[in-house]
Each structure stands twice: as C-alpha cells, then as structure tokens.
C-alpha cells in the first residue's frame, strides 16, 4: 500500500461527497433512501458546520471518505467523535485505507480531547463488522 494521504473536504467537494454517499448507499442496498443534494450538503457541512468529511487519497485521487461529527456524553461531560459513514471504493479495498482512516479519525478524536469514538454498523454487513472487530472495536447491544 502506498502511504495514504488525507485531506479535509471543502465547499468545492460537495459533488464528490454526494457521489461517495450514493456509492455507499448502493453498497448498503439503500440507494432509494438518498435524498441529499449537493446544495444541502454544502449548507449543512460547510455553512452550518454540522459535520466534517475526511478523504483518504491515493496518488492525489480520493479513494474513500469518512463523514463524522461531534456528539456529547452526559456521563463523561465531554464531546465524542461519531463516525456516520466510512466507505472505500471497491477497487481500492484490501489496501489498508479503511484501517488508516479509522486510525486517523482516532488521532483526531484524541487531539480534540474527545471522550469516545463511536459508530454503528448494519447487522447484516459481516465484512464491515469483521473489519471493525479486527481493529479492536467493542460491540454494544
């Protein structure tokens, strides 16, 4: 694997973000549920700053993305980092980009003083569940 590079999305990336969302939805067999628009994403992510997007790159090409935001733990009294979506394009899977992205997000959570780093996974998605478990994730019921 080439050492992955990362970059945060900016306003000009709204079209690319929507493409990754649609690719993820297709993978999850939920394409019919995507109603987001480029304009909506631009306003929510960059205007209102409700979420952030991190791209993982290979040779200058965006090959995956992670969409995340901060939540809050009342018991910890601290913000957490919540991973809403992680997706690597099929042709680039198995190269360590998912692992590298999780590691980068964990680093961001630590740098920002987050008390937790959380996400959920569809219960039928065994490849993703196995991936997360292999990274030391602890399932919650």
């Amino acid at each position: 694997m080439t050492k992955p590079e990362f970059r945060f999305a900016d306003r000009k990336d709204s079209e690319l973000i929507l493409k990754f969302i649609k690719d993820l939805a297709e993978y999850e067999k939920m394409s019919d549920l995507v109603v987001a628009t480029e304009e909506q994403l631009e306003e929510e992510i960059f205007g209102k700053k409700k979420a952030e997007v991190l791209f993982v790159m290979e040779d200058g090409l965006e090959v995956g993305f992670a969409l995340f935001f901060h939540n809050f733990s009342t018991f910890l009294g601290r913000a957490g980092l919540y991973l809403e979506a992680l997706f690597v394009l099929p042709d680039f899977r198995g190269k360590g980009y998912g692992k590298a992205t999780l590691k980068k997000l964990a680093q961001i959570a630590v740098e920002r003083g987050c008390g937790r780093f959380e996400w959920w996974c569809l219960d039928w998605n065994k490849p993703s569940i196995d991936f997360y478990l292999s990274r030391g994730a602890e399932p919650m019921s």
Side-chain angles (χ1 to χ4, degrees):
M1 171 181 85
T2 307
K3 184 177 183 216
E5 297 178 9
F6 296 94
R7 76 170 181 86
F8 281 95
D10 60 32
R11 281 187 187 272
K12 70 176 175 25
D13 292 313
S14 297
E15 180 180 2
L16 182 58
I17 294 167
L18 183 57
K19 180 195 175 309
F20 273 108
I21 290 170
K22 288 179 177 180
D23 288 347
L24 172 63
E26 183 178 327
Y27 172 76
E28 293 183 341
K29 301 169 184 59
M30 300 173 122
S31 295
D32 58 321
L33 299 179
V34 177
V35 296
T37 65
E38 289 177 42
E39 297 77 20
Q40 192 176 29
L41 293 172
E42 183 177 347
E43 175 61 21
E44 293 293 319
I45 296 171
F46 305 107
K48 295 180 180 178
K49 301 193 184 306
K50 297 293 184 180
E52 297 176 70
V53 172
L54 183 70
F55 292 114
V56 59
M57 320 263 297
E58 179 181 281
D59 298 326
L61 175 69
E62 295 84 359
V63 299
F65 91 124
L67 189 145
F68 64 98
F69 55 88
H70 289 282
N71 56 14
F72 194 84
S73 169
T74 52
F75 288 177
L76 294 177
R78 292 168 55 190
L81 193 140
Y82 185 83
L83 174 60
E84 174 64 22
L86 172 61
F87 183 76
V88 175
L89 294 171
D91 290 345
F92 296 91
R93 292 186 189 147
K95 294 184 172 188
Y97 292 124
K99 292 175 189 173
T101 302
L102 276 181
K103 185 176 179 180
K104 179 67 173 177
L105 290 169
Q107 177 186 352
I108 291 168
V110 169
E111 289 170 358
R112 295 181 182 182
C114 295
R116 294 183 178 152
F117 176 25
E118 302 174 293
W119 63 90
W120 66 269
C121 184
L122 295 170
D123 61 358
W124 61 260
N125 192 344
K126 184 159 174 35
S128 293
I129 291 168
D130 290 345
F131 166 74
Y132 292 128
L133 292 174
S134 76
R135 304 309 308 151
E138 297 178 16
M140 296 178 68
S141 58

